[in-house]
Amino acid sequence: MGTTGNTESEPAWTGLPRGLLRMRRLLLVVWLVPLTLATGLPLGLLVGPGWAAFALLPLALLLWGWPMLGRNWRSWRYAERADDLLISRGVLWREETIVPYGRMQLVEVTSGPVERHFGLASVQLHTAAAATDARIPGLVPAEAERLRDRLTELGEARSAGL
Amino acid sequence: MTTPDVDDDVQGEKPVADRRLHPVTPLRRAWAPVAVIAGWAVHDPDQTQRQLTRLTMTTLLIAVAVFIPAAALYGFLTWWFTHFAVTDTELRIRTGLLFRRTAHIRLDRIQAVDVTQPLLARVAGVSKLKLDVIGADKKDELAYLGQEEARVLRAELLARAAGFAPETAHEVGEAPVRQLLHVPARVLAVSLVLTGATWGSLAATLVVPPLLWLATHSVWTVLATGLPLLGAAGASSVGRFVGEYDWTVGESPDGFRIDHGLLDRTHETVPPGRVQTVRIVQPLLWRRRGWVRVELDVAGSSNSVLVPVAPREVAESVIARVLPGVTVPATLSRPPRRAGWCVPFWWRGYGLAVTDTVFVSRHGLLRRSLSLVPHAKVQSVRMEQGPWARFKRVADVHVDTGANKTVTARLRDASEAVDLLHGQADRSRTGRREALPDRWMA
C-alpha cells in the first residue's frame, strides 16, 4: 500500500477493506429477512394471501439496499499526502474532506462489538473544530493502528497552535 | 526532561503564593441556598403554600435563626477553600468544599481575558476575571477580586502569556492602549431603532396579548405570554443599548481591548493572533447610512461583537488592525447563474473571494453577512455536493475554524470548488508557517 505517493495531480487513494461491506450486507440481511418473514407469514396465514404482499416492502428494501451498500462502500477512500489527509465518500451526497496533520488534536481508534467480531476498527480524527467530520470506518485493526501512529507522528511534527 | 532549566522551573514553582479571592465573595455565595429554596417555591407553588400555612411564627423564627448562619457558613467556607496561584506557565484555581476541583489553565493557551463588573460589584469595588481557553468552564472565573487587583493580575497574566521572563512579568505593568474606535450613544440608539428585531419583538408585544385576550378572556394566559414577550422586546432594545453603551475598541501590545457597558462594565482583552473569524453584518435598514456591525469569533470566548455599529470605512480600518495585513475585498464573485435552480432568488446573495491572506464568503440578500477567515486559522476544508447540485454542476465548500464555526462558500461551480478545496488546503498550510507565535512577545 503506497503511503505517501504524492503526485501533485492525483493522490494515492486507498479504499476500504472488503470486510466492511460484508459486515454491512450481513447486518442488512439479519434485519430484513426476519422482518420479511414476520410480516409475510402471519398476514398470509391469518388475513389472506393478498395481504402478504406487504412483505414485499422489506424484501424490496433488501434487494435495493444490497447494491447500494456496495456503491457506498466503493465510494469511500482516503489518501495520506505529505501534509494532509484526504477523505472522500458518498455517491449521491458526495463529500470530500481535507484535514492538515498539524491541526489534529487527537486521533481515536474505535471498534464496537459487531465491528470487532468482523475484525474491523474505525479511525476518527478530531481537530479544534467540531464540524470536522473526518472518520474512516471499517479498517483492518493493524492498518487502523498504523494510521493512528503515523497521523500522530506527523501531527506532532507539523503541530501548530490554533 | 531533566535539563537544569526545567529543574529550576520546578524549584521556582515551589514557593508560589496561594492567593484568595476578595472577602466580599462570601456574600455572593450566600445567595446559593436562597436561590435553591426560591427555585423550589416557583417550581411547585401549591406545595409551598400548603407548607407555609402550616408554619407558625416560632418555627419560622427558628428556621431563620438556623438558616442564615448556615448560609453564611456555607459562603464563608467556599470562599475559604478557594485559592488561586499564578505560576510561570499556568493559572491554578483550587475550589470545592466536598468535591475538590483543581483547574490548571496554561497561559500560552489564553484566547482572551475578560474583566467584568456587574452593577453590584461596581458598587462594592470588585470585579470578575476570566481566562478564555478552549474548554474553559463557567466555574473557572475568579469572582471576585478587588478592582485594582484584577487589573494588576490581568496585566501580569498577559505579560507572562506574552513570554516576558517571570521575574519581570509583574513589573511590566499595563500595556499602553491606543483608542481605535468609540461608538457614540446617539449612533448606537439610532442603529437599534433601525434594527428589524427591535421592531419585530415590539410589534409582537403589542399584537399578541390583545389577540389572546379576545380569544381566551383569561388574564393568566395573557400575562404568561405577554411578560416574556415584553422581556424579549426589552432585551433586544433597551438591554442591547445598555450592554453596548460606551463601546470602545483599543489597541495595545497585549492585543486589542474591548470595553463596554452602562451598568455592567466589561473589559475584554484579545491577544494578537487569536481571532478565528471576523464577520461584517449589514442589516437592510443600515445600508443607506453605510453602517455595519462587526462580529468576531475567538475560541472559548462568549463575546462575539467587535463593533456594534460603525461606518464601513471605520469598521474596515479596525479589521485591518485586528487581522494584520488583511484588506476587505471590494468585489466578490457570484455563483454561476444556474445556481438559481438550487436556491432560487437568494443565490444572488452568495459570494466568494480568496485573497492571499483570507478566505471571504458572503451570504444573505437583505441582511448581508460577510465572513473573513485567515488562511492560518483553517482547521479543515470540506466539499459537499448533493444529487441536485451535481446535476447543476455546483458544490459547496466549507471551511471549519477553531472557534467551532464553519464558513461556507455556497453553490460554486463544481470544478472551481475542487480547485478551491485543494487550493485552500495549500494556502492554509503556508499561512500557518507565517503565523505569529503563541507567545507574541517572545
Side-chain angles (χ1 to χ4, degrees):
Chain A
M1 214 174 298
T3 45
T4 47
N6 186 29
T7 49
E8 277 304 310
S9 54
E10 191 60 18
W13 291 104
T14 315
L16 298 185
R18 208 165 172 81
L20 181 72
L21 180 62
R22 266 206 302 277
M23 181 185 87
R24 287 184 174 167
R25 281 186 170 160
L26 189 84
L27 283 179
L28 187 78
V29 169
V30 160
W31 282 106
L32 289 180
V33 167
L35 191 66
T36 310
L37 294 179
T39 339
L41 285 180
L43 281 176
L45 292 177
L46 300 175
V47 188
W51 289 90
F54 273 108
L56 288 177
L57 268 158
L59 193 69
L61 200 64
L62 174 67
L63 292 178
W64 175 76
W66 187 271
M68 282 298 139
L69 284 179
R71 272 176 65 176
N72 182 273
W73 171 77
R74 271 193 301 279
S75 75
W76 276 87
R77 50 188 193 161
Y78 64 95
E80 299 163 61
R81 297 198 302 184
D83 293 288
D84 39 32
L85 181 78
L86 258 70
I87 301 173
S88 169
R89 65 166 182 277
V91 181
L92 278 181
W93 275 270
R94 282 191 43 194
E95 196 173 336
E96 197 170 332
T97 307
I98 300 185
V99 185
Y101 297 133
R103 291 303 184 168
M104 280 181 319
Q105 301 283 331
L106 98 126
V107 186
E108 216 179 357
V109 177
T110 54
S111 184
V114 182
E115 276 183 312
R116 230 176 7 251
H117 183 255
F118 283 84
L120 297 174
S122 315
V123 174
Q124 170 120 38
L125 271 71
H126 294 273
T127 69
T132 304
D133 178 22
R135 193 171 139 266
I136 310 176
L139 292 172
V140 179
E143 164 71 0
E145 270 164 33
R146 184 200 67 78
L147 197 62
R148 179 196 62 196
D149 293 344
R150 190 180 140 71
L151 292 177
T152 319
E153 189 185 307
L154 288 167
E156 270 166 19
R158 289 168 176 71
S159 171
L162 275 178
Chain B
M1 288 299 265
T2 51
T3 52
D5 210 348
V6 172
D7 282 342
D8 278 351
D9 263 12
V10 172
Q11 277 162 15
E13 275 179 22
K14 284 281 188 295
V16 161
D18 261 354
R19 291 151 76 176
R20 281 220 172 82
L21 300 172
H22 195 272
V24 165
T25 313
L27 288 181
R28 177 187 81 136
R29 308 271 172 150
W31 278 105
V34 179
V36 168
I37 300 227
W40 171 70
V42 170
H43 172 73
D44 196 358
D46 292 345
Q47 183 80 11
T48 315
Q49 201 125 54
R50 238 177 298 145
Q51 296 284 355
L52 277 179
T53 48
R54 265 197 284 147
L55 290 177
T56 59
M57 201 59 206
T58 40
T59 42
L60 211 63
L61 277 178
I62 292 169
V64 166
V66 173
F67 180 72
I68 288 183
L73 188 69
Y74 169 76
F76 174 77
L77 285 175
T78 48
W79 172 73
W80 185 256
F81 283 102
T82 303
H83 299 269
F84 69 95
V86 185
T87 72
D88 294 346
T89 50
E90 290 173 333
L91 170 71
R92 296 180 182 170
I93 307 173
R94 285 191 292 138
T95 54
L97 184 57
L98 296 176
F99 300 94
R100 307 289 317 205
R101 180 169 192 278
T102 311
H104 288 208
I105 299 170
R106 276 180 59 180
L107 294 181
D108 56 345
R109 290 283 189 259
I110 290 185
Q111 301 292 323
V113 185
D114 308 330
V115 175
T116 49
Q117 279 190 296
L119 185 59
L120 281 176
R122 274 174 88 182
V123 174
V126 291
S127 18
K128 287 194 241 188
L129 187 140
K130 184 164 173 269
L131 289 185
D132 290 331
V133 290
I134 294 177
D137 228 325
K138 180 89 177 67
K139 293 177 206 151
D140 295 333
E141 61 178 19
L142 295 173
Y144 289 94
L145 295 168
Q147 225 159 3
E148 198 46 44
E149 198 189 356
R151 279 167 52 109
V152 171
L153 185 62
R154 175 177 73 174
E156 187 184 341
L157 289 173
L158 283 167
R160 290 197 179 195
F164 281 109
E167 310 82 58
T168 56
H170 49 266
E171 290 153 25
V172 174
E174 286 240 298
V177 185
R178 191 173 69 83
Q179 184 175 318
L180 289 178
L181 169 130
H182 179 258
V183 180
R186 199 184 55 82
V187 174
L188 184 63
V190 174
S191 78
L192 287 173
V193 167
L194 291 178
T195 306
T198 316
W199 290 107
S201 55
L202 208 63
T205 319
L206 291 179
V207 171
V208 174
L211 282 180
L212 273 176
W213 174 250
L214 286 178
T216 61
H217 286 281
S218 147
V219 183
W220 290 110
T221 331
V222 173
L223 276 183
T225 50
L227 285 181
L229 279 173
L230 197 69
S236 73
S237 52
V238 179
R240 251 178 81 176
F241 181 80
V242 169
E244 294 176 351
Y245 181 81
D246 191 26
W247 194 285
T248 314
V249 180
E251 184 189 35
S252 80
D254 279 342
F256 55 94
R257 302 246 162 109
I258 307 171
D259 304 324
H260 60 98
L262 178 64
L263 304 175
D264 302 355
R265 291 291 296 174
T266 304
H267 312 271
E268 191 179 18
T269 309
V270 181
R274 260 62 170 179
V275 176
Q276 307 272 340
T277 325
V278 171
R279 269 187 312 280
I280 305 176
V281 183
Q282 188 169 43
L284 180 66
L285 295 174
W286 292 14
R287 212 178 281 178
R288 242 196 68 213
R289 291 172 179 259
W291 287 350
V292 292
R293 174 183 172 88
V294 184
E295 299 177 351
L296 85 173
D297 293 324
V298 174
S301 167
S302 51
N303 177 36
S304 67
V305 182
L306 175 61
V307 179
V309 56
R312 183 172 270 275
E313 312 83 65
V314 179
E316 284 182 5
S317 73
V318 172
I319 291 173
R321 308 299 308 181
V322 170
L323 300 175
V326 171
T327 45
V328 181
T331 51
L332 286 88
S333 75
R334 269 202 199 155
R337 188 159 271 281
R338 59 181 185 276
W341 291 97
C342 297
V343 181
F345 198 60
W346 261 268
W347 69 275
R348 290 163 182 279
Y350 297 124
L352 169 79
V354 179
T355 71
D356 45 359
T357 45
V358 279
F359 178 91
V360 186
S361 159
R362 183 186 61 198
H363 69 88
L365 201 56
L366 303 175
R367 182 180 186 271
R368 286 187 193 145
S369 168
L370 185 83
S371 306
L372 299 101
V373 187
H375 294 319
K377 296 296 176 195
V378 174
Q379 297 283 331
S380 62
V381 196
R382 288 175 294 139
M383 184 183 76
E384 275 181 11
Q385 193 180 36
W388 180 248
R390 184 123 67 103
F391 176 61
K392 285 289 161 196
R393 302 191 314 285
V394 290
D396 300 345
V397 176
H398 303 270
V399 167
D400 304 317
T401 71
N404 260 340
K405 289 276 160 55
T406 299
V407 173
T408 307
R410 289 210 59 191
L411 304 175
R412 307 312 300 180
D413 177 76
S415 59
E416 184 199 343
V418 172
D419 291 346
L420 196 62
L421 177 75
H422 292 272
Q424 192 56 40
D426 285 344
R427 277 190 293 274
S428 303
R429 195 171 63 239
T430 47
R432 270 196 297 284
R433 292 206 186 108
E434 290 149 16
L436 274 171
D438 270 351
R439 294 179 170 263
W440 59 97
M441 284 290 185

